[in-house]
Amino acid sequence: MTSAPGHAGPRPSAEWRPLSTAEHIERLEAEGRRLGDVVAHVPLDAAVPGCPGWDVAALVRHIGEVHRWAATIVADRVQQRLRRDLSAPVDRDSLLAWYAEGHAHLLGALRGASPEDDFWAWGAAPNPQAFWARRQSHETAIHRLDAEQAAGFATAFPAPAAADGIDEWLMLASRRCRVADGGGRLLHVAASDTPGAWVVELREDGLGVERGHAAADCSVRAPASDLFALLMNRRDAAGVDVAGDADVLRAWRESVHFD
């Protein structure tokens, strides 16, 4: 990563520790159950603010399909990407039961796997079990927040889990996202309540991401839960400490999306 003119290079980050696979499976269980509890009390046609064009029914279908898709890959030790072409029930009770069954199946598959098992994964991780536990814990967590926002409220993420979610998303986003008007500018993000800091270079040919601190064109500092929601475009920057060129944060928010 190249620093902006006159900016120092990244310094080593504070003692940040990623969650373990066991912790991710626990998070997946808690967040998945919470999501199910919330959507059981929300109209299926309620809009989901974090996913424009989606209603709660679409949200449940999406996360239910993802859970069953990932569970099949893990449980059957699948060696290549599978198509996600499952069909979800339409009526409310059947849809919620289908979601709960898929969530339970995923938990069982991950707990039945080991670090030595080989199966397909699409991102860097110590092993495939670790990849899918981490990916599914954060996927489920952010969609739990989506469900809550559809219900008109939001519950904070635990700070260590949110910091891990930020790290995972930034590293994955660097593989798939582009910022057309990034211009190589640097966005520095740092959690204020737990270790964790990152520097992101915004480019039209991709993102450069490094862990640590650096002077940057724009710096954003907030509790990890707020920062995670902001970087996933599940909240705006109101109340967040933003220093420097706020246009850098705008460019991020308009170009880097998760659904």
Side-chain angles (χ1 to χ4, degrees):
M1 177 184 300
T2 58
S3 297
H7 291 178
R11 301 191 302 272
S13 64
E15 291 297 323
W16 174 77
R17 178 186 71 83
L19 300 187
S20 68
T21 296
E23 288 172 317
H24 279 303
I25 294 173
E26 290 176 3
R27 294 292 305 148
L28 170 61
E29 181 171 21
E31 294 284 13
R33 287 183 175 174
R34 175 62 176 167
L35 191 158
D37 289 344
V38 172
V39 299
H41 297 91
V42 182
L44 290 183
D45 61 356
V48 179
C51 302
W54 285 18
D55 59 14
V56 168
L59 176 68
V60 176
R61 286 195 300 269
H62 168 78
I63 190 63
E65 289 172 357
V66 168
H67 283 172
R68 287 167 181 260
W69 174 71
T72 299
I73 292 169
V74 176
D76 295 348
R77 310 296 189 259
V78 174
Q79 298 297 314
Q80 66 282 327
R81 184 183 183 95
L82 290 181
R83 289 187 61 187
R84 219 171 64 218
D85 55 0
L86 301 172
S87 121
V90 174
D91 70 278
R92 181 184 186 85
D93 290 345
S94 296
L95 178 62
L96 296 183
W98 175 86
Y99 163 76
E101 289 166 2
H103 178 234
H105 182 31
L106 176 58
L107 289 168
L110 286 168
R111 286 173 172 148
S114 78
E116 288 71 42
D117 291 328
D118 181 38
F119 41 90
W120 179 78
W122 58 272
N127 56 73
Q129 182 201 29
F131 170 82
W132 283 111
R134 190 186 199 200
R135 177 80 293 276
Q136 291 304 302
S137 74
H138 293 313
E139 173 103 13
T140 305
I142 204 67
H143 287 317
R144 181 271 297 167
L145 176 60
D146 286 330
E148 289 186 343
Q149 290 179 341
F153 65 94
T155 303
F157 303 104
D164 191 283
I166 293 166
D167 185 82
E168 193 227 17
W169 173 228
L170 292 179
M171 298 304 169
L172 291 180
S174 69
R175 296 165 52 96
R176 56 185 283 191
C177 297
R178 307 286 183 267
V179 183
D181 59 348
R185 293 175 294 176
L186 297 183
L187 174 66
H188 170 251
V189 296
S192 61
D193 57 347
T194 192
W198 301 263
V199 182
V200 186
E201 185 178 13
L202 309 183
R203 306 188 308 259
E204 65 178 339
D205 63 343
L207 303 178
V209 180
E210 291 185 5
R211 298 182 181 101
H213 295 279
D217 300 282
C218 179
S219 182
V220 180
R221 181 176 173 84
S225 180
D226 290 335
L227 194 60
F228 186 33
L230 177 68
L231 293 174
M232 304 293 275
N233 282 318
R234 263 56 181 190
R235 60 155 294 165
D236 60 28
V240 172
D241 182 8
V242 179
D245 183 2
D247 186 63
V248 176
L249 181 59
R250 175 207 57 78
W252 167 276
R253 289 173 57 78
E254 291 181 358
S255 300
V256 183
H257 300 281
F258 170 90
D259 55 34

